[in-house]
Amino acid sequence: MPFGITEDEQAILETVDRLVARHLPMAAQRQRDADHDPPYELLKELGAAGLLRLPFPEAVGGLGAGWETVALVQERLGETAWMLGSLFNRAVGFGGMGLLNYASAAQRADLLPRLMAGELLFALALTEEGAGSDAAAITTRAERTASGWRLTGRKIWISDAEAADFVVVVARSDPGSARARGISLFLLPRGAPGVRLSQIPKIGNHCLPSFEVVLDRVELPEDALFGQEGQGFAHLGQTLHYARAGMAAATTGYAQFAVSLALEHARTRAQFGRPLGQFQVIAHRLADMRMRVDQSRLMAQHLAARLSAGAPTARFASEAKVVATECLQYVTHHGMQILASAGYHAESDMARIWRDARLYSFGEGSNEIQRSLVARELGLDIR
């Protein structure tokens, strides 16, 4: 049994491995990536296996596992089936943790059991043309009506918007308030009148489709408000800590997969009469790749431990996100160099990871913003 893993955690990881082997072996992953076919139907398999219940308290039907255990699952899914690990993170991140931490009692009672069963998918509609890293610059409007709310605006780069049962829309509910004040969250159900979707073509992450979402005077009932009115920015900041923790853990697993591919190639590919791995320049490159993954794993587990303990996590979430995503870019950059032409083949697994990796240093909050958050924790006045 690997060091530091309990018997219960080992059993959970074996459940993950069986699920992936049965429903998403590597050949199926390659085909889904080629076909741009997300494995949304496997949410129910994650639910049936109990994996989506892990982070939630027993009082609401969850398993009450610590975040350290959840991080192990996220890393294993990242290593064995990234597209499924990414889906797991999106289910339990801003959707599940939002329901747990700030949804109304009625929303929580109705939606959280369905989410844990794998019956619901949430998407987050935050980014706009002028509001990405500067999330407080939201211009999408939420106006009060006699029966509830009216949403008007345009969102871009919204993952899963077409398949999601609910899109969590970030909108300005008090236009008189400046910046982060007056922003609220709303649950937009699939198929609501006045919503137009257009898919955005991308160079990677083909099983994470992104959309432009136009909201043309979309009418919502009063109970579509998600959390407290005017507290959307604070709610979002709280939830993104869980999302970044999931990204750090799963990205670590994806990076480990890339290192394994490069190591196998270095052991089996011969040049000048000996395996590539016997050349010091290649051996040192692989050692650096492995050290980056180990550093990323330690950061992800430290963040998970702080989440479990209820300790402050803002700085550590930013740090873990930066370390993990830049680790992934580092190992895929050098992995492509080690594999050379074999990696540049259109059907190469390394090429797929390399393409996917480029998103994550600016997705879920750019790494420049994360560094600024860390610097402010150091007491530095960044302008």
Side-chain angles (χ1 to χ4, degrees):
M1 186 179 301
F3 176 77
I5 295 180
T6 68
E7 290 185 5
D8 286 345
E9 288 171 336
Q10 183 62 30
I12 292 170
L13 293 179
E14 289 171 359
T15 297
V16 171
D17 292 342
R18 287 193 297 269
L19 191 153
V20 170
R22 180 179 180 184
H23 297 286
L24 207 56
M26 191 55 62
Q29 294 179 45
R30 295 179 186 124
Q31 191 61 55
R32 282 182 178 271
D33 182 76
D35 295 342
H36 297 215
D37 180 22
Y40 292 131
E41 74 280 4
L42 296 187
L43 266 178
K44 289 187 176 180
E45 298 297 334
L46 290 172
L51 296 172
L52 295 177
R53 296 169 57 203
L54 284 170
F56 302 104
E58 294 179 8
V60 296
L63 295 177
W67 282 97
E68 300 93 328
T69 301
V70 177
L72 289 173
V73 170
Q74 291 166 323
E75 182 181 338
R76 182 62 64 88
L77 284 169
E79 182 178 0
T80 60
W82 168 258
M83 60 185 66
L84 187 58
S86 177
L87 188 59
F88 174 91
N89 287 350
R90 300 197 301 280
V92 302
F94 50 80
M97 297 314 295
L99 288 169
L100 180 66
N101 290 324
Y102 49 78
S104 69
Q107 289 169 338
R108 188 180 305 113
D110 177 31
L111 301 179
L112 188 54
R114 293 161 60 191
L115 180 138
M116 291 189 291
E119 297 171 356
L120 288 181
L121 178 64
F122 285 76
L124 176 64
L126 170 62
T127 305
E128 299 178 2
E129 194 68 46
S133 295
D134 185 9
I138 293 293
T139 60
T140 294
R141 303 191 312 278
E143 303 168 287
R144 279 200 172 274
T145 65
S147 58
W149 298 91
R150 179 181 299 122
L151 301 185
T152 305
R154 175 174 170 264
K155 301 288 187 177
I156 56 173
W157 296 109
I158 310 308
S159 301
D160 300 323
E162 187 173 56
D165 298 278
F166 291 94
V167 177
V168 180
V169 178
V170 185
R172 189 168 295 282
S173 55
D174 183 359
S177 297
R179 302 290 293 166
R181 297 191 182 93
I183 290 176
S184 301
L185 307 181
F186 298 88
L187 288 178
L188 174 68
R190 183 195 300 174
V195 179
R196 299 196 306 274
L197 304 177
S198 301
Q199 189 165 352
I200 303 172
K202 300 188 298 190
I203 64 170
N205 287 277
H206 294 150
C207 290
L208 177 63
S210 298
F211 296 84
E212 176 188 26
V213 180
V214 176
L215 305 168
D216 184 8
R217 297 173 63 83
V218 177
E219 301 288 340
L220 294 177
E222 179 66 35
D223 61 7
L225 183 67
F226 193 40
Q228 297 180 10
E229 182 179 350
Q231 295 299 309
F233 203 73
H235 293 330
L236 193 61
Q238 177 187 20
T239 308
L240 284 175
H241 295 171
Y242 296 101
R244 287 169 185 157
M247 175 177 283
T251 301
T252 298
Y254 211 18
Q256 180 62 63
F257 178 43
V259 172
S260 298
L261 291 173
L263 184 59
E264 178 65 18
H265 185 80
R267 286 170 171 161
T268 57
R269 169 71 166 166
Q271 290 289 283
F272 303 102
R274 53 183 169 143
L276 287 178
Q278 291 185 9
F279 292 90
Q280 187 180 71
V281 65
I282 300 298
H284 282 187
R285 185 167 286 178
L286 284 162
D288 285 340
M289 292 162 67
R290 181 56 187 264
M291 284 190 284
R292 293 286 185 109
V293 173
D294 287 342
Q295 291 164 358
S296 180
R297 179 176 297 113
L298 289 169
M299 289 291 296
Q301 278 292 327
H302 182 66
L303 173 57
R306 295 186 70 89
L307 286 171
S308 291
T313 56
R315 172 166 67 89
F316 298 94
S318 292
E319 290 177 354
K321 193 266 182 182
V322 170
V323 169
T325 57
E326 293 184 2
C327 163
L328 181 60
Q329 291 187 357
Y330 181 90
V331 300
T332 54
H333 172 79
H334 289 285
M336 288 291 286
Q337 189 68 20
I338 291 170
L339 268 69
S341 297
Y344 205 63
H345 194 289
E347 296 180 359
S348 159
D349 289 326
M350 184 66 77
R352 171 164 51 87
I353 309 171
W354 180 56
R355 286 186 283 108
D356 290 352
R358 195 61 194 87
L359 168 64
Y360 295 103
S361 62
F362 54 86
E364 296 279 7
S366 73
N367 285 7
E368 290 78 8
I369 292 296
Q370 306 312 312
R371 285 183 164 88
S372 291
L373 292 172
V374 172
R376 290 192 183 102
E377 291 258 350
L378 296 173
L380 301 173
D381 185 17
I382 294 181
R383 303 298 177 95

